[in-house]
Structure formats: C-alpha cells, structure tokens
Amino acid sequence: MKPQHPTPRIAAMDTRTSAIRLRLDQVRSALQRHQLAAVLVPSSDPHLSEYLPERWQGRQWLSGFTGSMATLVVTRDTAALFADSRYWVQAEVELAGSSIELVKIPTGTATHHVQWLAANVPPGQTVGVDGDVLGLAAAKLLRDTLQAAGVALRTDLDVLAEVWPERPGLPDATIYEHRAPHAPTSRADKLAAVRAAMAGHGATHHLVSTVDDIAWLFNLRGADVPYNPVFLAHALIDNAGVTLFVGPDKFTPALEASLADDGVHLAPYALTGAALHDLPASAVLLIDPRRVTLGLREHAHTAVVEAINPSTLMKSRKGGAEAANIRDAMAQDGAAMCEFYA
C-alpha cells in the first residue's frame, strides 16, 4: 500500500492556525507596548452594523472564526472567543489549533465577555478596546463592570491598526438614488419630519450613524456591505441643512447636485468627529445611545439629549405604497423560492 499523506485541507488548516497564532503574538506585543492586560475585539464597526465591511472584520482576521457574530478577548497569555449556539460547531472547527478557547454563550446579545474580563484581569490592570466601534450602552456596561473589579478601561487605541498591515481601506462602491415608486416619500419630507422630532426633544443638531437609517432618510442605496444595499456614512442634521460624511468619489455630479438642492452637503468621512467637536456651545445634540459609538460621542462637548433616532421609528411605519412594494417583493421572493425547491 502507498503511504498515506495529509490531505490538502489539513495542510491548509495548519497554515491558517499558524497564521492566527502569529497574529495573536503580534497583538500581545502591542499589549506589552501599551501596558494593557487585555484587548477586546467586538464584531462591530463605527456604525454598529450587524454585517461588516472588510475593514472592520478584525475579529475574523485575528481569530479565524468566520461567523457573523462573536466577541474576541486576547490577554497576554490566553484568548477566548464568545459565541452563541448558532456557531458552536463552526467555531470548534475554525478555532482548532489556534489556542483560542471557545466560550459558549446563550444568545448573541449576551455579555459574558464583560464578566470574563472582570474575573480574569487582575485589579490595577487596564483593558483596551477601540472606542470607535463600541456603542455607548455597551461602553457603560463594560466600564462600570471593570471599575467595580478595580480594572481600568482604555478606549482611545485601535490595536488592529498596528498589527494588520494589509487591512482593507474604506469601501468605494458608488452610491445611487432610491427613487419613486419604491421611495414614495421624498428626502425633503423625511428631513422635515426628523427636524420636527428634533424640536420636540429641544435639539438643534442630530447625529445619525446607523447605515439603514441613513439609507432610508436620504433615499440612497449603496453596496459597501455584501448583500446589503447600504453605504458607510454619518449624517449631522441641523435646522438649516445636513452634512453627510462619506468616502471620496462615491457620488456622481448629478446626484451630488440633487442632494445639494435638498440642503445636503458632502464632507470627508474622517471629519465626522471634528464636526462634532466644532459644534457651537449653544448646540443641543440628539443622539441614540444604542446607535452611536463612544468614540463619536466623546468628540461632542455640547449638551446632549439621548433618545431613539426619529428615523428608526419613522421607517417602521409603512404607508400604502410601501406596503404594496413589500407585498410585491414577497411575491417575487416566494416565486424564486418555489423555483429553487423545484
């Protein structure tokens, strides 16, 4: 009989896990440089999206786990991935040989990683996390829990920026207009309704970061995330106009002019924080604490009102034309599924 050789798949797994171990070693070197005991890597981006552009898939790059939701913690001598039951079998396979422990949690929204950090990081030490991808509500829970355990939290450092040399840039897909009849309410009317809600909260400005709210509010669509017709942007709305912070060269001149007619002006994506910092002292900023990151919130030094984004509630209420569009889409979907099953 001929000698048996490892299959290509096994060899690929060995290579992959070796790469993961090397990346973890690089992270631990960064922890030492910055005097951190651990770093938290959530499945998140500056918009707190469920599905992430490649630039913010650091948890996947660092752990090798390709599921859409999980949280990774790396300390100087161990690493743990927190995933719910949808991913346990997948995670066990993908983490094999990586030295990363799988911690099984009951649901995707569980916060076991917070308690794990409080129990495993010694008092007097510091945990790092990129505040630009950490929601306000999650940041409060994390800081309060660690503080009770005598552990400090640092949020102004992106460790991945130091150890991920081939990290992708911002997506550059072109943004296009979502027109009637599929968008029966105009952009101007939606903005007027949001401004009325802002007035009800006593707010002069409103920051919107969630990509689905922005796509709905401005009747725009994009392709920055696979299988999701959204684009990366932040919007700062006041009583006179809107600044839409986006990547370069994403609009045609015609669409840019159409936006300007509705008082929407474009600015570089990276200037969102600076715009918040430069708000006048008299400004009152409306933000949704579950839909804005800590990093952006800390740029604002004016009065803040916390409430759910008005657009989140508005887009949940469908008019007759929108309901008809949904029925038509479901009929097409049902026909496609029947064809597939057949």
Side-chain angles (χ1 to χ4, degrees), residues 106-268:
T107 68
T109 58
T111 58
H112 290 57
H113 60 279
V114 178
Q115 289 73 33
W116 189 96
L117 281 166
N120 287 276
V121 175
Q125 299 293 309
T126 302
V127 171
V129 63
D130 180 7
D132 286 339
V133 299
L134 187 67
L136 280 181
K140 184 179 188 307
L141 172 65
L142 181 61
R143 179 174 281 125
D144 290 349
T145 303
L146 293 181
Q147 188 176 36
V151 177
L153 180 66
R154 181 176 176 183
T155 61
D156 63 346
L157 178 66
D158 181 6
V159 171
L160 288 173
E162 298 184 17
V163 301
W164 192 359
E166 69 278 18
R167 186 176 189 177
L170 289 174
D172 57 4
T174 301
I175 296 169
Y176 57 94
E177 194 149 22
H178 190 57
R179 300 178 179 275
H182 299 106
T185 305
S186 71
R187 182 164 46 237
D189 287 345
K190 291 177 179 179
L191 287 170
V194 168
R195 290 188 175 105
M198 289 166 54
H201 289 291
T204 61
H205 295 73
H206 175 38
L207 174 67
V208 185
S209 288
T210 36
V211 292
D212 54 324
D213 283 306
I214 289 175
W216 178 86
L217 182 57
F218 294 97
N219 286 344
L220 298 173
R221 297 294 186 267
D224 286 352
V225 182
Y227 313 113
N228 289 264
V230 296
F231 58 96
L232 302 188
H234 302 282
L236 186 59
I237 305 169
D238 61 31
N239 293 323
V242 182
T243 303
L244 191 62
F245 300 90
V246 295
D249 304 321
K250 294 183 70 69
F251 289 93
T252 64
L255 181 50
E256 188 171 344
S258 176
L259 289 168
D261 289 341
D262 289 325
V264 181
H265 304 285
L266 306 182

Side-chain angles (χ1 to χ4, degrees), residues 10-331:
I10 294 175
M13 279 292 284
D14 289 341
T15 301
R16 182 186 66 82
T17 55
S18 296
I20 297 303
R21 286 176 176 268
L22 178 60
R23 293 167 187 172
L24 292 173
D25 287 343
Q26 292 171 335
V27 168
R28 292 185 174 114
S29 295
L31 295 182
Q32 291 181 337
R33 286 195 300 272
H34 297 287
Q35 298 182 330
L36 298 175
V39 64
L40 173 65
V41 185
S43 298
S44 185
D45 68 0
H47 309 272
L48 304 178
S49 306
E50 180 179 1
Y51 302 103
L52 308 179
E54 289 186 4
R55 177 171 179 78
W56 285 284
Q57 291 184 8
R59 183 266 305 154
Q60 176 176 322
W61 177 83
L62 188 53
S63 69
F65 172 65
T66 60
S68 62
M69 184 177 292
T71 301
L72 177 67
V73 174
V74 181
T75 74
R76 293 195 183 189
D77 55 13
T78 189
L81 182 90
F82 298 78
D84 66 79
S85 58
R86 294 172 295 171
Y87 304 109
W88 290 347
V89 173
Q90 176 185 354
E92 287 173 348
V93 172
E94 293 182 336
L95 296 180
S98 69
S99 78
I100 301 173
E101 173 194 1
L102 171 62
V103 180
K104 297 179 178 180
I105 59 176
T107 68
T109 58
T111 58
H112 290 57
H113 60 279
V114 178
Q115 289 73 33
W116 189 96
L117 281 166
N120 287 276
V121 175
Q125 299 293 309
T126 302
V127 171
V129 63
D130 180 7
D132 286 339
V133 299
L134 187 67
L136 280 181
K140 184 179 188 307
L141 172 65
L142 181 61
R143 179 174 281 125
D144 290 349
T145 303
L146 293 181
Q147 188 176 36
V151 177
L153 180 66
R154 181 176 176 183
T155 61
D156 63 346
L157 178 66
D158 181 6
V159 171
L160 288 173
E162 298 184 17
V163 301
W164 192 359
E166 69 278 18
R167 186 176 189 177
L170 289 174
D172 57 4
T174 301
I175 296 169
Y176 57 94
E177 194 149 22
H178 190 57
R179 300 178 179 275
H182 299 106
T185 305
S186 71
R187 182 164 46 237
D189 287 345
K190 291 177 179 179
L191 287 170
V194 168
R195 290 188 175 105
M198 289 166 54
H201 289 291
T204 61
H205 295 73
H206 175 38
L207 174 67
V208 185
S209 288
T210 36
V211 292
D212 54 324
D213 283 306
I214 289 175
W216 178 86
L217 182 57
F218 294 97
N219 286 344
L220 298 173
R221 297 294 186 267
D224 286 352
V225 182
Y227 313 113
N228 289 264
V230 296
F231 58 96
L232 302 188
H234 302 282
L236 186 59
I237 305 169
D238 61 31
N239 293 323
V242 182
T243 303
L244 191 62
F245 300 90
V246 295
D249 304 321
K250 294 183 70 69
F251 289 93
T252 64
L255 181 50
E256 188 171 344
S258 176
L259 289 168
D261 289 341
D262 289 325
V264 181
H265 304 285
L266 306 182
Y269 181 85
L271 295 184
T272 310
L276 292 173
H277 181 272
D278 293 340
L279 288 176
S282 60
V284 178
L285 179 65
L286 171 64
I287 60 173
D288 187 334
R290 293 190 177 276
R291 293 171 175 82
V292 168
T293 65
L294 175 69
L296 279 179
R297 168 65 181 88
E298 290 185 333
H299 283 287
H301 302 290
T302 60
V304 168
V305 175
E306 293 188 357
I308 190 171
N309 284 342
S311 52
T312 299
L313 296 175
M314 292 173 184
K315 67 186 176 66
S316 71
R317 304 186 183 110
K318 307 302 182 186
E322 291 172 310
N325 289 336
I326 292 173
R327 293 188 185 97
D328 180 60
M330 294 304 297

